[in-house]
Amino acid sequence: MRHVQSSCLDNRTNMNNQTSIDPTILRSIAEQAATQAGHLIKDKWSQPRQISSKGFRDIVTDADIASQSLITGLIRERFPDHGFLTEEDDPDLPMTGPIIWIIDPVDGTTNYSRQIPSFCVSIGAARLPNNEPWTEAEVLAGAIYDPMRDELFSAARGQGSTLNHQTIHVSQTPGLETAAVGFDWSREYDRRLAMAEVIGRIAQDVHTLRATGSAALALAWVAAGRFDLYFNFRIGPWDMAAAKVIIVEAGGQVSSLLGERWDVEDSGCIASNGRLNTSFKRLTQLDELVAVLSDV
Ligand code: IPD
Ligand code: CA
Ligand code: CA
């Protein structure tokens, strides 16, 4: 995974302008690109795949690269002046523009590489108002496509969220005792220990817990009311960008591990139906666990 370097993000500051772009159009392009890329990775699903290592417990397949290239090609054809923040490195992509497309071409690559059918394509479109740090970027539209279930989640700011073009809402679950909670394991030792500790602290107090292996898909499921809460100690901006607008537009809440506004430099997240973030933090004594982690 390419880690987000502050310097790289800082470079975007002041380079963007206030061009007014209709979020509906961004959503439509995100939907088209996510669906086409999803079909591509599904077609490759049954073929032999090339898997290579990008780092510790981090792999990439030929399908990730092909999917990203399809998505960026389609977006550049439509918006030649837009910028990109992609999971897979591509030095040919511009980093700045009035809109930054934040792309995970296959979220859940480990699942994909083992033919575990839970993965998705995630595409968010973010705007950075003039003179504001990159962390203030606001996601205007996003799409998450699950090709194995043919499910397309999408949203545009102020226009609600949909699943296959039908409106969706987060769950009404009032408390953790009846909650289905999703989470995913991070790659690092200290975060896995912290995750195991959190699970131990809530295991008896929630309805159930599920690790999905695809953060963006699990977050889309929060928007659709399938999960009541999801948390992760390390996600990338491409895991969260589309999901953030989809959850918020579905009535939910996304925060950092500290309970503050989530921004693209945060490494962890808590997302819920809006009723559970505070009780989850209290029950797990999360602040105490987060305090010993670096880079949260
Ligand atoms: C990963 C998956 C995983 C999550 C990791 C992500 P990738 O994305 O979403 O569930 O726990 O934090 O990096 O590498 O499969 O795109
Ligand atoms: Ca990912
Ligand atoms: Ca990925």
Side-chain angles (χ1 to χ4, degrees):
M1 174 166 60
R2 179 162 67 116
H3 287 284
V4 186
Q5 301 294 329
S6 293
S7 56
C8 140
L9 297 176
D10 291 347
N11 284 341
R12 295 162 202 271
T13 308
N14 299 323
M15 295 294 289
N16 299 290
N17 59 40
Q18 298 275 23
T19 308
S20 155
I21 293 174
D22 183 354
T24 312
I25 295 169
L26 300 174
R27 176 191 203 160
S28 162
I29 298 296
E31 286 179 341
Q32 281 175 39
T35 307
Q36 286 185 28
H39 292 158
L40 181 151
I41 60 177
K42 189 180 175 191
D43 286 348
K44 286 181 168 286
W45 169 253
S46 52
Q47 298 167 17
R49 65 215 61 212
Q50 294 155 23
I51 304 172
S52 35
S53 170
K54 288 193 287 182
F56 181 59
R57 293 181 178 143
D58 199 6
I59 57 169
V60 60
T61 74
D62 54 320
D64 296 67
I65 306 299
S67 171
Q68 182 165 301
S69 156
L70 184 156
I71 296 164
T72 55
L74 193 149
I75 293 170
R76 289 185 85 179
E77 209 176 283
R78 181 66 196 260
F79 302 114
D81 60 333
H82 287 190
F84 292 88
L85 177 61
T86 57
E87 178 170 14
E88 310 309 334
D89 285 333
D90 182 347
D92 291 339
L93 293 175
M95 292 171 60
T96 59
I99 294 291
I100 307 293
W101 292 85
I102 306 177
I103 297 164
D104 194 335
V106 178
D107 180 55
T109 297
T110 296
N111 283 351
Y112 184 85
S113 71
R114 290 163 180 262
Q115 294 196 306
I116 298 169
S118 262
F119 53 85
C120 65
V121 177
S122 174
I123 303 176
R127 182 178 69 103
L128 182 60
N130 269 342
N131 301 321
E132 292 197 3
W134 169 247
T135 51
E136 295 302 314
E138 38 173 346
V139 186
L140 297 180
I144 293 173
Y145 182 59
D146 171 353
M148 302 310 275
R149 299 176 181 83
D150 190 25
E151 290 193 327
L152 175 65
F153 304 84
S154 78
R157 218 177 144 129
Q159 295 173 22
S161 294
T162 57
L163 164 52
N164 292 346
H165 308 290
Q166 304 293 314
T167 301
I168 52 172
H169 295 289
V170 293
S171 74
Q172 301 284 316
T173 304
L176 284 170
E177 60 286 356
T178 50
V181 174
F183 70 96
D184 277 299
W185 296 100
S186 312
R187 298 182 172 92
E188 304 97 321
Y189 177 73
D190 64 340
R191 280 167 158 80
R192 288 195 176 186
L193 275 186
M195 183 59 79
E197 185 64 35
V198 169
I199 291 166
R201 289 179 187 185
I202 58 168
Q204 299 296 351
D205 298 296
V206 296
H207 179 69
T208 196
L209 286 152
R210 300 267 189 277
T212 58
S214 172
L217 192 56
L219 289 161
W221 290 355
V222 171
R226 296 174 181 173
F227 280 140
D228 304 300
L229 182 140
Y230 175 84
F231 69 105
N232 193 321
F233 281 122
R234 170 81 76 192
I235 57 167
W238 34 79
D239 298 320
M240 176 57 92
K244 184 177 179 188
V245 66
I246 295 171
I247 291 173
V248 170
E249 288 295 324
Q253 183 185 358
V254 176
S255 75
S256 71
L257 294 173
L258 298 170
E260 294 160 354
R261 174 187 180 274
W262 182 88
D263 71 49
V264 292
E265 281 188 326
D266 279 317
S267 69
C269 72
I270 310 168
S272 85
N273 63 3
R275 302 173 179 215
L276 307 176
N277 283 42
T278 308
S279 50
F280 173 78
K281 278 188 82 234
R282 192 173 51 240
L283 186 65
T284 57
Q285 298 171 51
L286 198 64
D287 288 347
E288 164 200 302
L289 290 174
V290 169
V292 300
L293 297 177
S294 58
D295 183 27
V296 287

